[in-house]
Amino acid sequence: MSTVIAETVSALLLLAVLAFAVVRPRGLPEAVAAVPAAGLVVGLGAVSPTEAWQQTRDLLPVVGFLAAVLVLAQLCDDDGLFTAAGDAVARVCGASAQRLLGGVFVVAAVITAVLSLDATVVLLTPVVFATASRVGVRARPHVYATAHLANSASLLLPVSNLTNLLALAASGLSFTRFAALMALPWAAAIAVEYAVFRAFFRTDLAAGPREVRAAGHTELPVFTLVVLALTLGGFVVTSFAGISPAWAALAGALVLAARGLTQRRTTVGKLVDSAGLPFCLFVLGLGIVVKAVVDNGLGSAIGHLFPGGDSLPALLAVVAVAAVLSNLINNLPAVLALLPVASAGGPGPVLAVLIGVNLGPNLTYVGSLATLLWRRILHEHDDAPRLGHFTRLGLLTVPATLVASTAALWAALHTIGG
């Protein structure tokens, strides 16, 4: 098969896989399209079986880490951590929509950083709906915050986003070095988001509270919080020891799972379901399809677009390419396509790619799977988001957060060193 034909077929299969993931006909898992597509690109010779197997082996540790973190997040939810957080925010903020927005920003940023963006979208968004209803304020600014923070606040730790896990190995950084370099970009993105949200939703935030119900008093799950803190400490220890942090995530999940099974709060079936195995298969299949697209032409094209070095203009150019690509083909395939090229330039360009693929998706629904999940949850609450509203907010936040975070990354690289 010629390179042109291989690239064309691979690109069409990638678009088909992404379209299926967006629509999910009859609720079928994303892997239903991704796995056969991966088999096709191998069968047609666009990727050799050896290359496909190597790609799978490279992705397996990342996917294993993702599954462990998803189980950990679900067990935290089973123990009432998210409900307790919502109750605490409601008690502290009262019936003030402005204070509630600040509280939601804090909780969503922390949960995203520690338990990944999926936890914020899937588990926190329903809690925010309930909290806004309880204190009698309009839910829209607060539930939009969970969608934006799920993407924007996922810059901090390697465990915050699957894209970060993919980039960690490519960057050559340790867990703690990664976090140190991304702390300032993370804070800059959240600060810009908050300022824009206060202005954009000023009418909703100024509306008086409706009927106010008494705040709940869900007991804080101390044991779960301690295990979570020890797991975070485990990420740091394993990083210094040169061991995959997936072992720390697995240990934390096993401790909470054993407790949950003993107390009959969960079952083995629920634990397996919370690991998101079909989604993990989707990631592996997608990785092979993207490799076919990259190896047969896209990689060379991206190489021509990427400038060398880690100057501020160079980092901004990398961020712009990553943001545009993530809104065209979704951020997960975008990061798979960009990392092989960016890794040649060292940690700076790799982290710039992350800024583009993590913040850029706030512009369109298809930018990230987390946003698609969020949209589905809003439909379930009969509060479907409006495309024009979402896009206008994205046009105000995305360019500003991209520039602010990139400038912060450039400052961190020249202060801390890559």
Side-chain angles (χ1 to χ4, degrees):
M1 179 184 290
S2 72
T3 302
V4 174
I5 295 176
E7 178 68 3
T8 304
V9 171
S10 303
L12 289 174
L13 284 171
L14 174 60
L15 292 175
V17 169
L18 294 174
F20 189 94
V22 171
V23 178
R24 287 190 67 195
R26 301 181 181 178
L28 291 170
E30 297 89 344
V32 168
V35 173
L40 268 176
V41 295
V42 174
L44 295 172
V47 173
S48 71
T50 303
E51 291 170 330
W53 173 238
Q54 186 58 50
Q55 178 78 341
T56 303
R57 288 185 60 181
D58 291 343
L59 289 175
L60 273 176
V62 175
V63 170
F65 200 158
L66 172 69
V69 169
L70 288 176
V71 173
L72 188 66
Q74 183 60 55
L75 288 165
C76 289
D77 185 49
D78 292 344
D79 280 354
L81 180 63
F82 296 95
T83 304
D87 289 347
V89 169
R91 286 196 300 273
V92 171
C93 301
S96 168
Q98 291 88 351
R99 289 203 298 271
L100 182 61
L101 182 65
V104 169
F105 259 71
V106 171
V107 172
V110 172
I111 287 176
T112 299
V114 177
L115 290 172
S116 86
L117 74 171
D118 296 306
T120 298
V121 168
V122 177
L123 303 175
L124 182 63
T125 300
V127 172
V128 169
F129 259 117
T131 304
S133 174
R134 184 189 306 151
V135 300
V137 302
R138 296 179 182 177
R140 190 167 56 171
H142 314 292
V143 294
Y144 271 68
T146 61
H148 271 244
L149 267 293
N151 291 315
S152 301
S154 68
L155 289 175
L156 183 60
L157 301 178
V159 298
S160 306
N161 195 328
L162 179 57
T163 56
N164 300 9
L165 290 171
L166 293 167
L168 180 64
S171 69
L173 296 168
S174 67
F175 189 99
T176 49
R177 195 78 171 174
F178 181 103
L181 287 171
M182 293 304 266
L184 199 55
W186 177 76
I190 294 170
V192 171
E193 289 273 11
Y194 183 70
V196 174
F197 264 64
R198 285 296 299 261
F200 188 81
F201 289 108
R202 59 186 178 279
T203 303
D204 292 301
L205 295 173
R210 301 186 298 271
E211 180 184 358
V212 179
R213 286 177 278 162
H217 291 281
T218 302
E219 189 175 345
L220 192 66
V222 176
F223 182 86
T224 301
L225 274 178
V226 171
V227 172
L228 200 55
L230 291 174
T231 304
L232 282 175
F235 291 153
V236 177
V237 172
T238 52
S239 176
F240 279 122
I243 303 170
S244 170
W247 292 107
L250 180 62
L254 286 176
V255 170
L256 290 183
R259 183 169 178 263
L261 289 170
T262 303
Q263 297 180 342
R264 299 182 184 276
R265 291 187 180 184
T266 188
T267 64
V268 174
K270 287 182 179 177
L271 290 173
V272 172
D273 188 53
S274 65
L277 296 182
F279 185 75
C280 293
L281 273 178
F282 163 71
V283 174
L284 294 175
L286 181 65
I288 294 173
V289 176
V290 170
K291 182 169 180 58
V293 178
V294 171
D295 288 356
N296 289 291
L298 182 61
S300 300
I302 292 171
H304 291 301
L305 290 174
F306 271 22
D310 58 3
S311 65
L312 183 56
L315 294 176
L316 285 169
V318 173
V319 167
V321 171
V324 170
L325 196 61
S326 65
N327 279 294
L328 290 176
I329 64 171
N330 189 272
N331 65 346
L332 187 53
V335 78
L336 288 169
L338 294 170
L339 285 180
V341 181
S343 59
V350 171
L351 297 181
V353 165
L354 277 188
I355 289 176
V357 300
N358 287 0
L359 303 184
N362 277 332
L363 186 59
T364 64
Y365 287 149
V366 297
S368 77
L369 292 173
T371 306
L372 294 172
L373 284 172
W374 170 82
R375 187 185 60 161
R376 193 176 304 164
I377 291 170
L378 263 62
H379 276 283
E380 291 171 357
H381 283 77
D382 295 325
D383 194 5
R386 288 175 292 171
L387 177 61
H389 199 81
F390 185 90
T391 306
R392 284 197 301 276
L393 180 60
L395 287 171
L396 290 172
T397 58
V398 170
T401 53
L402 288 176
V403 172
S405 292
T406 307
L409 172 63
W410 175 82
L413 286 168
H414 288 78
T415 304
I416 301 172

